[in-house]
Amino acid sequence: MTNKTKKPMPVWVMVITDVVLTAAAIGVFMLFDYVMPQSSGVKGEIIATADSSAEGSFTLPNAADSSQAESTAQDDSEPAVTTAPQTETATTTLRTEQTNRRNWGNQDTADYRSDQNAISSITNAAITSEELGSASTDNAQVTVYKKSIGEGRDKITYFVADVYVTSASEIKSAFADGEFGKNIKDSVYNMAVDNNAIFAINGDFYGNSERSIVIRNGVKYRDDVNDADVCVLFTDGTMQTYSPSEYDSDAVIAKGAWQAWNFGPALLDGNGNVMETFNTTNYLNSANPRSAIGCVSAGHYIFVTVDGRNEGYSKGATLSELAAIMSDEGCMSAFNLDGGKSAMMYFNNSIVNAPDGGGRDLSDIIYIGG
């Protein structure tokens, strides 16, 4: 009898097999870690309630008009929406330099210091503005404008929501599918509709990060400081931004944190001045589509979405340009939210801006109504 020995597997076959198996393992890991929704199971710790927002009670500027508009809604569950009269042309306001209006001095030498030329290009520019409409509930009033600065390749087109509320609890947040977790995503439009919002903007995309501060509607879900700035809206209606080293969880909770977003950077210093330096990356410091939240005073907030990556319509905004826009809108403090394809604004039952690439699904929104 002849003994037949089995030939060993060629080295090249072994190498290819190992590569394929390794790639498959990595693919499964990435699918689970970066794509598949993962409920955290965390219910969160209640640290503030809507009732505590009575600490800050504010009056809407047009309370009488808001009540009248609300009475014309089809039923009590539907917010009143009034569309601004159509005009043939938008209005254009030409501003001249106001040297005493803000202190733009910058003596910081950090890599990502604010750009004084970019700031001046916004504060001294002619702004074309068109009111898109207004909406109101008993406790909130929203007016949205479409604005633009510059021409050609330098043109910036952005949308401004001027928001008044009777208490900070009217500034609400919502998670995709109503659940806190990783890779749980939906469109801004769907989240807005699901929560009966009259207005919404993308949040900080908390679900795209393993570490962050997440406080939503008075509930603490995550308390893990990373290297990004934090923005906190308190129950008294005030808003404050913090660097990672400044953020003190116990102090923030004791003060009455209602919302906390962790993206940034902070754009203004609390007195309406553009930050001397931005805690950010080189990429985020460049021109991009943007979303931001700002506080003029307790009960009065500004939301901005800047379109971008569309030359001739809107190039996007650098952080210096965005900060100047927020200051120009009267904000004392302001904070950069997630941007790029995430930058979306919902109003009057539709997405009003032109998101880059049609936008993308994300983990959370900030909204009014519901």
Side-chain angles (χ1 to χ4, degrees), residues 210-293:
E210 296 283 356
R211 297 175 55 199
S212 63
I213 304 297
V214 183
I215 298 174
R216 303 296 154 86
N217 304 330
V219 177
K220 182 180 72 175
Y221 292 90
R222 185 189 290 161
D223 190 12
D224 193 359
V225 178
N226 56 28
D227 60 354
D229 290 349
V230 183
C231 177
V232 182
L233 175 66
F234 294 98
T235 54
D236 65 1
T238 60
M239 192 179 91
Q240 188 169 344
T241 57
Y242 302 84
S243 69
S245 62
E246 293 172 334
Y247 185 81
D248 182 326
S249 178
D250 292 339
V252 164
I253 291 172
K255 189 177 176 181
W258 177 246
Q259 310 284 359
W261 302 284
N262 195 184
F263 195 92
L267 300 170
L268 305 179
D269 65 359
N271 295 307
N273 300 313
V274 174
M275 297 288 286
E276 292 184 348
T277 60
F278 299 120
N279 175 31
T280 189
T281 66
N282 184 57
Y283 172 73
L284 292 179
N285 199 34
S286 60
N288 284 291
R290 305 282 185 184
S291 283
I293 179 174

Side-chain angles (χ1 to χ4, degrees), residues 46 49 54-55 58 72 76 81 89 100 128 144 165 167 184 189 194 270 338 352 355 361:
I46 297 175
T49 65
E55 297 173 16
F58 322 111
T72 64
D76 293 338
V81 178
T89 59
N100 296 323
T128 297
V144 175
V165 295
S167 82
I184 304 174
Y189 178 87
D194 289 346
D338 190 21
V352 295
D361 290 352

Side-chain angles (χ1 to χ4, degrees), residues 51 62 120 123 134 139 146 157 169 185 199 201 235 253 290 348:
D51 290 342
N62 298 317
S120 295
T123 58
S134 61
N139 299 310
K146 179 180 180 180
T157 298
S169 63
K185 297 180 285 187
F199 165 82
I201 196 171
T235 54
I253 291 172
R290 305 282 185 184
N348 200 11

Side-chain angles (χ1 to χ4, degrees), residues 128-191:
T128 297
S129 178
E130 175 188 2
E131 182 177 329
L132 298 184
S134 61
S136 62
T137 67
D138 286 340
N139 299 310
Q141 179 179 305
V142 182
T143 305
V144 175
Y145 303 86
K146 179 180 180 180
K147 300 187 178 185
S148 64
I149 294 174
E151 297 179 347
R153 63 185 304 174
D154 294 323
K155 186 176 182 180
I156 301 175
T157 298
Y158 58 102
F159 297 78
V160 178
D162 193 8
V163 175
Y164 290 87
V165 295
T166 58
S167 82
S169 63
E170 296 301 317
I171 307 293
K172 304 173 185 178
S173 292
F175 296 140
D177 294 340
E179 188 171 4
F180 174 76
K182 185 175 181 180
N183 300 328
I184 304 174
K185 297 180 285 187
D186 202 351
S187 67
V188 168
Y189 178 87
N190 286 344
M191 285 187 274

